[in-house]
Amino acid sequence: MKKSFFVVILGLCSYMCSTVAFGQAKGFAFGVKGGMNLSQLSMGSVLTTRYDGNGNPYLKYNGQEVRDNIQESLDSRTGFVGGVYARFGKHLYIQPEVLVSTKGGTFDIIQNDGDVPVTQQVDVRFSNIDVPILIGLKGGPFRINAGPMASFRIGDNQKLRDAFEHYTSGSFNDALSQAVYGYQLGAGLDIFGLSIDVRREGTFTDLATFKVNNQSAGSSSTVRQKLTSWQVTVGIKII
């Protein structure tokens, strides 16, 4: 038993050594990375009617329907990102990654149910599994890369759902997308076994899409939320 155990251990060590040697010879790298996101929501501006729990519009003291303004905000939110990456190639390379990432943003709701409008800022935060597949060029320690990315939401703080439940006359269950597709592009530096990256990230598809009633009777408007982010990460090469 002991002899068999040592043979297995020896075989694993031999396999790992050969894998490392192959990776160094062929330009393969594998590592872990972590860092920070700075993200911002974009959604435009919508004038909408506020509804109660029964789907009826709120009324002012004079009998008029309460109509609020929903507006995008320029404020950004910070989050964290971490995961693993692999790189295939030396000068021209492909780099797939799997990352757990927290992002978010804000928007404003200007409530007009009284004589003086009141502004409420809604802070939206959520967590994703991001899978970018980047194509890059490397010259010396410097790199540039770009490519598509798929994001899968794994959690949120429910602020988006809570904020809009008063403005949709129908169900909100289908408002959040199952997957969001976007892009990453940026530059990096490899030095002393570390990979430092700065990237710009954006979405092609919407984070959330839902209908709210417009000022015109019988019409509706669609709120479409997209996300842009700056991402700064440091990676440690394992292989």
Side-chain angles (χ1 to χ4, degrees):
M1 290 287 291
K2 289 183 179 180
K3 191 173 182 180
S4 300
F5 175 76
F6 283 117
V7 168
V8 171
I9 294 297
L10 207 61
L12 286 174
C13 291
S14 179
Y15 173 77
M16 291 179 65
C17 290
S18 62
T19 301
V20 171
F22 175 81
Q24 291 176 345
K26 299 296 183 181
F28 172 76
F30 176 82
V32 296
K33 61 184 301 185
M36 184 176 65
N37 292 316
L38 182 65
S39 52
Q40 183 183 67
L41 287 174
S42 62
M43 55 181 286
S45 179
V46 174
L47 182 65
T48 182
T49 301
R50 193 190 312 175
Y51 292 91
D52 60 20
N54 297 321
N56 300 315
Y58 278 93
L59 300 179
K60 294 183 179 181
Y61 59 89
N62 57 5
Q64 293 182 341
E65 293 183 357
V66 175
R67 300 187 186 278
D68 300 331
N69 286 284
I70 302 172
Q71 299 179 349
E72 67 182 16
S73 170
L74 298 178
D75 291 346
S76 300
R77 287 294 176 263
T78 56
F80 300 95
V81 59
V84 296
Y85 72 92
R87 188 180 301 159
F88 302 88
K90 291 185 177 180
H91 303 296
L92 176 64
Y93 64 87
I94 297 177
Q95 181 166 318
E97 301 177 355
V98 178
L99 308 171
V100 176
S101 182
T102 61
K103 304 170 189 175
T106 64
F107 61 90
D108 297 326
I109 298 177
I110 303 176
Q111 299 177 333
N112 296 297
D113 52 345
D115 294 331
V116 179
V118 177
T119 300
Q120 172 194 5
Q121 187 175 73
V122 179
D123 186 5
V124 181
R125 297 180 185 273
F126 51 89
S127 301
N128 288 342
I129 293 179
D130 294 339
V131 186
I133 301 177
L134 307 175
I135 298 176
L137 289 173
K138 182 177 180 181
F142 300 101
R143 294 177 287 104
I144 57 173
N145 47 44
M149 179 187 69
S151 296
F152 304 90
R153 185 172 297 192
I154 56 177
D156 59 63
N157 65 354
Q158 296 295 312
K159 290 294 183 68
L160 179 63
R161 184 183 300 273
D162 295 342
F164 280 101
E165 67 179 1
H166 300 297
Y167 303 104
T168 56
S169 55
S171 173
F172 196 74
N173 292 333
D174 298 328
L176 301 179
S177 302
Q178 296 298 315
V180 175
Y181 299 96
Y183 66 89
Q184 285 190 352
L185 59 89
L189 175 67
D190 294 333
I191 184 171
F192 303 125
L194 300 178
S195 294
I196 303 170
D197 282 272
V198 178
R199 296 178 188 170
R200 178 69 167 175
E201 178 182 308
T203 56
F204 297 128
T205 55
D206 301 316
L207 295 176
T209 303
F210 46 90
K211 294 280 188 179
V212 295
N213 272 29
N214 200 310
Q215 187 175 10
S216 302
S219 65
S220 63
S221 181
T222 301
V223 174
R224 301 182 182 276
Q225 290 190 324
K226 293 183 180 292
L227 187 79
T228 55
S229 300
W230 284 100
Q231 186 180 96
V232 180
T233 59
V234 176
I236 300 176
K237 183 179 177 181
I238 298 176
I239 297 177

